[in-house]
Amino acid sequence: MRLNAFPLLIVCLALTACQDQAGLVQSTSRDEIRIVGSSTVFPYAKAVADQFAQTGRNPSPILESTGTGGGIQLFCSGIGASFPDIVNASRRMKASELKRCKEKGVEDVVEIQVGIDGVALAQSREGADLNVNLPQIYQAIAAQPYGKPNGTTLWSDVAAELPETRLYIYGPPKTSGTRESLTDLMMEPGCLQNPTMQALKESNEDRVDDICTDVRTDGVYVETGENDNLIIQKLISNPGSIGIFGYGYLEKNLDKVRGVKVNGVNPTYDTISSGEYPGARPLYIYVKKRHVDIINGLDEYIMEFLTAGTRTGYLSEEGMIAMPDPLRQVMIERLRTLPPLSIEALE
């Protein structure tokens, strides 16, 4: 290459970069905010969207309930108007998911906790009152409890003190953050209370992960998609069954269903907020930093989410549990500065 060609090459590269940035701005020109993700977070996000739209400054955000895993996949697919601005998540993003984001050009992802929820077990108010512990939940749901095929068909097969009612468990699918929270917060801890499993974990962690988290597929555990209202209907029609979903749905349907005690603790606002109930979990939203300056009102929507999530805010009426005020202030500052989430923080 001739030496005098280098300045021309530099100019061309600079113009290309400018055109790429301009293309991004143009392709990201969209009036409404687009949100995907968790069915658990969906009703809270919808309540915030409705309030946000009432100001008249912005159109109502478009929300889609896809499940946490499916939502993150859509969110991480790219930058621009064709891709979501926010993904709601009922569990934390995984390092592998953030890596996939970066591979698709979604470089600066900001993580903001918006509240607390609980993985609630519920039953019809007409059913036999259940009080189960974590090992019993694990033994009822696991495909291979302690490494052996699951042949239980009655609650009394799990433990003699439980009622002789048939096991029917309606719960979330693999794509759901609630499903992953169920395995992380209840199944795996219940499994690892067994000394043999705890010892095996030291030598064969992958095998123990399979034993502790694989859910049975013999018809006892029935996946109900991302529709928690369907679980409520199933519980009403089958009083001997139990359902698994976010606490917010339990709170809104206490006239039809009641919580199942876990370790003797009912899932309530106070027991989840204090951490006494073993199914407590944080709720998140993830936002693309590059979209904040381009999509009108995106930062205002997130601020509305944070301010509405206090103990006296309107999201409390929807069943969301408020996070401590100091943590809320950290999240408000994070919204102001938009620090990108690192892969190292998730590993």
Side-chain angles (χ1 to χ4, degrees):
M1 181 181 291
R2 291 179 292 111
L3 290 177
N4 59 5
F6 279 104
L8 179 60
L9 175 60
I10 293 170
V11 170
C12 289
L13 289 173
L15 286 172
T16 300
C18 291
Q19 289 169 352
D20 287 345
Q21 183 64 25
L24 170 66
V25 173
Q26 185 176 7
S27 69
T28 316
S29 178
R30 180 169 17 90
D31 290 332
E32 69 284 335
I33 298 166
R34 185 181 169 200
I35 305 165
V36 294
S38 165
S39 63
T40 298
V41 182
F42 179 86
Y44 310 135
K46 179 66 165 59
V48 174
D50 292 343
Q51 184 67 27
F52 176 76
Q54 285 181 18
T55 65
R57 296 193 302 271
N58 302 93
S60 183
I62 297 174
L63 290 89
E64 186 179 358
S65 179
T66 61
T68 297
I72 290 175
Q73 186 173 359
L74 291 168
F75 176 82
C76 289
S77 296
I79 293 286
S82 301
F83 306 102
D85 309 304
I86 290 173
V87 59
N88 302 322
S90 57
R91 50 114 175 130
R92 202 175 191 199
M93 183 179 282
K94 300 175 183 177
S96 60
E97 291 169 330
L98 185 56
K99 288 176 184 175
R100 197 174 308 123
C101 264
K102 291 179 178 295
E103 289 169 359
K104 293 290 187 177
V106 185
E107 291 288 342
D108 294 334
V109 175
V110 181
E111 176 185 79
I112 297 177
Q113 184 177 340
V114 292
I116 302 171
D117 187 41
V119 179
L121 274 62
Q123 61 180 157
S124 166
R125 301 188 72 86
E126 305 301 319
D129 196 12
L130 276 174
N131 183 356
V132 294
N133 58 37
L134 294 181
Q136 290 166 353
I137 293 171
Y138 165 70
Q139 290 174 67
I141 297 175
Q144 310 172 68
Y146 310 124
K148 298 178 181 179
N150 199 338
T152 58
T153 58
L154 306 173
W155 277 109
S156 55
D157 294 338
V158 174
E161 66 269 21
L162 295 176
E164 293 185 8
T165 54
R166 192 163 185 84
L167 272 170
Y168 280 114
I169 302 167
Y170 298 103
K174 290 180 180 179
T175 55
S176 169
T178 301
R179 170 75 162 265
E180 297 195 42
S181 295
L182 169 68
T183 58
D184 291 346
L185 299 173
M186 293 186 173
M187 288 184 65
E188 187 170 11
C191 172
L192 292 177
Q193 286 187 29
N194 180 283
T196 302
M197 293 297 101
Q198 187 64 56
L200 182 60
K201 187 175 177 66
E202 300 298 323
S203 60
N204 194 341
E205 187 170 356
D206 289 342
R207 173 62 176 152
V208 170
D209 283 346
D210 290 342
I211 291 173
C212 289
T213 63
D214 283 355
V215 171
R216 61 196 300 178
T217 57
D218 58 357
V220 170
Y221 183 94
V222 181
E223 293 186 356
T224 52
E226 299 293 345
N227 187 351
D228 292 334
N229 286 319
L230 178 60
I231 298 180
I232 298 292
Q233 296 169 19
K234 294 289 187 181
L235 298 183
I236 295 169
S237 62
N238 184 358
S241 62
I242 70 166
I244 302 168
F245 39 67
Y247 168 76
Y249 281 94
L250 172 62
E251 174 74 15
K252 293 170 69 174
N253 291 278
L254 286 174
D255 58 327
K256 307 179 190 73
V257 298
R258 63 178 175 230
V260 172
K261 293 186 183 72
V262 179
N263 293 349
V265 180
N266 255 321
T268 67
Y269 189 106
D270 290 334
T271 61
I272 294 170
S273 178
S274 68
E276 183 184 2
Y277 180 75
R281 60 176 174 171
L283 299 177
Y284 300 96
I285 62 175
Y286 293 89
V287 61
K288 293 170 182 170
K289 182 176 181 178
R290 294 179 73 184
H291 281 205
V292 171
D293 293 331
I294 298 170
I295 301 299
N296 189 34
L298 186 52
D299 54 347
E300 295 176 33
Y301 171 84
I302 299 170
M303 181 62 78
E304 176 68 22
F305 215 137
L306 289 170
T307 56
T310 64
R311 182 70 190 254
T312 57
Y314 60 83
L315 290 183
S316 179
E317 298 175 6
E318 296 289 331
M320 175 178 279
I321 294 164
M323 58 187 168
D325 285 339
L327 179 58
R328 185 180 315 282
Q329 291 305 314
V330 170
M331 294 301 121
I332 289 172
E333 181 60 24
R334 186 174 293 180
L335 176 58
R336 292 194 179 106
T337 58
L338 297 174
L341 180 64
S342 70
I343 292 172
E344 291 74 22
L346 300 176
E347 290 177 334

